[in-house]
Structure formats: C-alpha cells, structure tokens
Amino acid sequence: MKKTILILLTLLSVLIVTGCSKDDPAEIPPQERILGKWKFISVVTETIRPSKPVEITTEQGAEGDYFDFRNDGNLYYALGGNEEEIEAYSIENGNILKIEGTISTIKELTQQKLVFEFVKENANYTRKQTYNLSK
C-alpha cells in the first residue's frame, strides 16, 4: 500500500512539474518584452533613387553601443562612443515603435532579439533603415 501511494505521489509530482512551464514569450505584451538594455548590433540602410541602382550599406555597432528601453517611457542610448542621450518612446498596436515621434515598425521582438525598421520617403529617394539589436 505504501508503495502504491509513493508511486502515485511521484506520478502526480511529475505531472505538476511538467505541466508548469514559463509563460510563452509571445503572450508577454511588446511593451514589456522591449524593456531592458539591448546591444546595438547593426543598422542596414537601403536607399532607392529613381533610375539608379539600390544602395545597401551596413554599419556595425561599436563596443558599448546600446539602446535601453525603460518603464519611464524613455529610451536611453549611446552610439559611437558619444554621450548617452534620452528620447521618449512608445509602442502602439503591438508593432509600431515611436521614438520622439519618429515611427518605426517592429519586425521581430523576442527575449533576445529586436529588429525594427524606419522608412523615410520623399520625391528624391526612399530610405529604409533596419536596426538589429540583441540582449
């Protein structure tokens, strides 16, 4: 009898442990997933001008470059060895990132990776910048 109870308790424990897992990161709102300090990896710039070939350049982040999204609604960042700067940010509709009014589209946001894209269009060119960050 004691053996049967021990086996049942062991099975019950295994079921409880396997049934409990961390929350699915996709269920965490983007406003929470974006929080924290991100290492600036690179920015890929694609420039399209009428009647000219597409120009693509990649700028790698330097050691110490970062973006730090905080709960206070501010983005603290330092790039290229410059002093830290602060700008207001917000996330709207789950995939729109606004930084000081500049609108970008979040392409990927996981616990370890953030990719967002900024597009600027005018009569002379279209410029798309894709920022790649990691934790």
Side-chain angles (χ1 to χ4, degrees):
M1 182 72 172
K2 286 183 183 180
K3 202 173 199 178
T4 305
I5 292 175
L6 182 59
I7 291 172
L8 288 174
L9 286 175
T10 304
L11 286 173
L12 182 62
S13 298
V14 169
L15 287 174
I16 290 172
V17 170
T18 58
C20 297
S21 63
K22 291 186 176 183
D23 290 337
D24 181 3
E27 293 176 7
I28 300 170
Q31 292 84 347
E32 291 180 31
R33 275 186 280 156
I34 202 167
L35 294 176
K37 196 170 189 175
W38 297 83
K39 180 180 178 184
F40 173 61
I41 303 300
S42 66
V43 60
V44 178
T45 303
E46 182 178 321
T47 306
I48 302 168
R49 291 186 175 86
S51 305
K52 293 192 177 186
V54 176
E55 295 174 35
I56 298 175
T57 59
T58 302
E59 181 183 339
Q60 299 297 322
E63 187 67 35
D65 287 354
Y66 66 88
F67 286 72
D68 189 357
F69 294 89
R70 298 190 188 169
N71 271 327
D72 64 3
N74 288 314
L75 166 62
Y76 298 74
Y77 66 95
L79 301 171
N82 293 321
E83 294 289 318
E84 181 176 77
E85 295 187 42
I86 304 170
E87 295 187 7
Y89 83 93
S90 64
I91 296 179
E92 299 175 4
N93 300 326
N95 69 335
I96 302 297
L97 173 61
K98 285 187 176 180
I99 301 174
E100 285 296 325
T102 301
I103 297 174
S104 299
T105 303
I106 297 173
K107 296 295 185 180
E108 185 174 357
L109 177 54
T110 66
Q111 290 179 323
Q112 299 299 316
K113 186 175 183 180
L114 170 59
V115 178
F116 63 93
E117 181 178 275
F118 168 72
V119 178
K120 180 180 180 180
E121 295 183 62
N122 65 32
N124 299 320
Y125 65 86
T126 299
R127 178 172 291 139
K128 177 172 69 172
Q129 293 183 300
T130 304
Y131 290 81
N132 299 288
L133 292 80
S134 72
K135 282 206 176 173

